[in-house]
Amino acid sequence: MLPYLALVITWALVHTSLIVFRDLPVFESGLVGPDSYMRLLRVTELYQSWDWFDGTIDRANAPYGDTLHWTRPFDILIMLVALPASFGMTFEKAIYVSGILVSPLLQLMTALALAWAMRPLIRPEVWFLPVVALFLQPAALAYSIAGRADHHSLLMLVFVITAGFTLQALRNPLDARPAVYAGAGAGFGIWLSVEFLLPMAVCLAALGTPWLFGQREKAAQNKWFALSASLVLLAALFAERPLEDLLEPSYDRVSSVQFLIVVCILLFWRAAEFYENHAARQTHILGRLLLGVFGVASAGLLVNAVYPLFFTGPMAGVDPRILPIWLDRVLEMRPLIPQDRDSLGAFIFYFGSGLMVLPFFLKFMLEERRSDRFWVLAFIGFACLILWPMAIKHMRFSSYAEVVFVMAIAVVFDRFLQWTHSIHSDLSRGLVRGCVITVLLLGPITVGTMLKNQEADAKDASGQSLEACNVRQVSDFLETDGRWAGSQQTILTFLDIGPELLYRTGHAVIATPYHRNSDGIYDSYRILTSSDTENARRVMAERRIDLVLLCQSRAEKIFFSSASDSLYKRLSEGEAPQWAEEVVLPPSLQRQARLFAINR
């Protein structure tokens, strides 16, 4: 019991330190990152209307509205966490409290799940330090901080649980129950986000390769895995879509596309099970390999025939106009390839601990190649092979890679502790253990931080700029000033500010940082980067824009910096055209922002 109490205390200290030293705005009625504001707005609207299938935010992409690609499970979780707080306050305020707490609570649950999941990998008494290492993984921690209501924190928990059941299935090929639970976890992960297709691929690779090399029972296990996943996805289709849109394809959220893929996997493993049970003679690796190649090719051809855009990725169909101006610049979509000192620092910062132990882990895995533990350890190898390259390509997958590296750290740490028992001096043994643990857990963070550019624009834990106007104060002004408080205004502003304005005010915005709002992103860009003020005014009239807000952050200036004589540059210097009038802001905001009223 004491180790679990120590774990909870460590978790509380980590998050308290982040609130104090990273200046998280949780005590200032603030959240972290635009996604958090949009998520709580979405949950609040669901609570007020209970229109389950309507995910449209009417005041985004004004005057047309915008439909988000998110699904409902995380919305419901926020409501469930809000229930206890709702006994002492309104449910809307309880939703805000839930938004503050939900991700840290999910991280604690992930840590406890990780201690359970690693049982097939390490001795029971060794779990504490690797689990604490999870709290120090930068990407995983960034998604879990107080005030960041982000479904990625739930995805990490689902990944750990799915991995845990997969490891149990690998340890006992004759038991189908862990495979059923792992498949259900994979299906629920895809329901949360289609990016979970990659973690599911890790589990299938880990379960399928032993079958290829002779474990006939794995065909049945994989069949149960795929059946369970397909049933969960079938439930997701009915939960997320009205009947008339049940089979409408989507590549960025759960739909018939992902369901077809999992059904193809199910059919393949049913065929493999039939092959194992009814082959005229004993099966061998060549026959399994040919069956596997035929199955993968057939599934690929079927999916390509029905949904050809699947192979272009979840961003298939995204308006190409917004790729160079926004999507390619999104922090989560950037690569982590070392190219200079700053990128090398980021690479070490995120992956240093895992890369330090990976050679030792591979050595131990090869040493176990003839033992029953080999395929259990191979799961981590498959995960590194699939998830780490994706994390290097897109930073948003870093949290998955970090969880896998923590598992590798656990295996190496277990062996290291066994080796140190050969050191007879208690003092020497303690020094060796202390030095290795310190270097392993804190070394990469320290080195990476030193290498990273410290003069860059200051950012919060979600990567959002801290050098900008106080949106809460701007929102208070817009909500209380008599000129704007009486009616809904349509505001043109930087897309990262849009969600917070929507959450804090009753006004509408044009751009929000979501790929489905391509028209809003592109129109806001072309208006403020245009040097033709009359053309900009025409687009403003089409959008019925009433106000233009400049928050003047570094990210905003870069986004609107296509031309030296742009409308943005003129407005930021106070040179408004005749049809725009600058609004006098309160003294506390005058050095932070500029606001212009448009004469339509």
Side-chain angles (χ1 to χ4, degrees), residues 38 74 122 190 237 372 392:
M38 187 62 85
F74 193 63
I122 58 176
I190 297 171
L237 290 182
D372 296 337
I392 293 175

Side-chain angles (χ1 to χ4, degrees), residues 16-32:
T16 301
S17 300
L18 286 172
I19 292 172
V20 173
F21 296 109
R22 289 299 299 268
D23 294 326
L24 299 183
V26 295
F27 296 124
E28 302 171 5
S29 299
L31 300 169
V32 178

Side-chain angles (χ1 to χ4, degrees), residues 331-334 336 350 391 393-399:
L331 184 66
E332 288 185 336
M333 302 299 290
R334 290 180 182 174
L336 284 169
Y350 287 104
K393 184 178 180 181
H394 294 302
M395 188 173 160
R396 67 180 296 134
F397 291 98
S398 299
S399 57

